[in-house]
Amino acid sequence: MEENELYRKWMRLVENLEREGIIKSEKVKRAFLRVPRYKFVPERYKEYAHVDEPLPIPAGQTISAPHMVAIMFELAELEEGMNVLEVGTGSGWNAALIYELVKRDVYTIERIPELVEFARRNLERAGYKNKVHVILGDGTKGFPPKAPYDRIIVTAGAPKIPEPLIEQLKVGGKMLIPVGSYHLWQELLEVIKISEDNKIKIKNHGGVAFVPLVGEYGWRE
């Protein structure tokens, strides 16, 4: 399928998400239009990138459905200049969208070497090479060198909220994280840090389905 045809289908999906009230803000819509998902999926799935469901990427992982990413980004209320950590790079698509919303270096951590390489290739091709920094490591431990963060966005389901991620949030900062069972059923939590001693306030945004967050403060492999 030609690129202009892929983009036409992508635009139609973005318009549908806006019509359904899933994309609410102009800035999230603009980011989605600047970073089409087909640039971040394996070649054989490009023609399905406009379909609003998860798609396979290497290492048995998935790239999230567009509506899920839009919901998380609307809740995240990302602003220009914010320091953001993403846990679970996957394809690199989310991190590129985050860059378009914050317009500063984005840090994203991924435990699977094959996906680190996949994401770096995608990001370089899409023009984000020196804007999004993909780190190989255990995302449940966060990334202390660039903490504290205004926002932490976790793209895999945890058994509980990892303590290091709370520690690395700024007071008043916000984390979005799916928490629940090991496979494909969690609740999307909005976690707001309200004091230096790691007190938090939690809002529950209902049922979601993500791959498991594996790591020292997550699920064991």
Side-chain angles (χ1 to χ4, degrees), residues 40-42 55-63 86-93 108-123 134-137 155-156 211-212:
F40 292 84
V41 298
L55 290 173
I57 58 172
Q61 303 296 299
T62 58
I63 186 170
E86 181 195 30
V87 175
T89 313
S91 67
W93 181 46
T108 175
I109 189 157
E110 173 56 60
R111 72 184 180 89
I112 302 171
E114 187 183 354
L115 283 184
V116 169
E117 291 311 311
F118 180 65
R120 283 180 181 155
R121 273 198 311 276
N122 290 338
L123 287 158
V134 184
I135 299 125
L136 176 64
T155 63
V211 295

Side-chain angles (χ1 to χ4, degrees), residues 58-199:
Q61 303 296 299
T62 58
I63 186 170
S64 293
H67 77 271
M68 194 66 249
V69 177
I71 287 166
M72 288 181 89
F73 284 174
E74 291 290 2
L75 290 171
E77 299 177 307
L78 296 167
E79 303 285 348
E80 280 195 22
M82 280 184 171
N83 186 25
V84 180
L85 174 68
E86 181 195 30
V87 175
T89 313
S91 67
W93 181 46
N94 280 25
L97 288 165
I98 292 167
Y99 179 83
E100 288 296 342
L101 288 157
V102 300
K103 297 294 188 195
R104 64 167 279 180
D105 290 36
V106 174
Y107 300 92
T108 175
I109 189 157
E110 173 56 60
R111 72 184 180 89
I112 302 171
E114 187 183 354
L115 283 184
V116 169
E117 291 311 311
F118 180 65
R120 283 180 181 155
R121 273 198 311 276
N122 290 338
L123 287 158
E124 185 168 352
R125 276 200 302 261
Y128 295 92
K129 184 179 180 185
N130 298 314
K131 298 169 179 176
V132 174
H133 308 278
V134 184
I135 299 125
L136 176 64
D138 179 353
T140 69
K141 296 179 181 177
F143 187 58
K146 296 297 176 180
Y149 299 98
D150 297 289
R151 298 287 186 269
I152 297 176
I153 295 176
V154 183
T155 63
K160 60 184 192 305
I161 302 163
E163 204 59 42
L165 299 185
I166 299 170
E167 286 164 11
Q168 290 169 45
L169 266 183
K170 290 180 183 174
V171 174
K174 185 192 288 194
M175 170 172 21
L176 287 161
I177 179 167
V179 174
S181 66
Y182 179 76
H183 212 60
L184 297 183
W185 184 256
Q186 304 94 22
E187 290 180 315
L188 180 60
L189 303 185
E190 178 182 350
V191 180
I192 298 161
K193 183 166 170 174
I194 54 177
S195 69
E196 285 293 354
D197 62 351
N198 294 333
K199 285 198 172 64

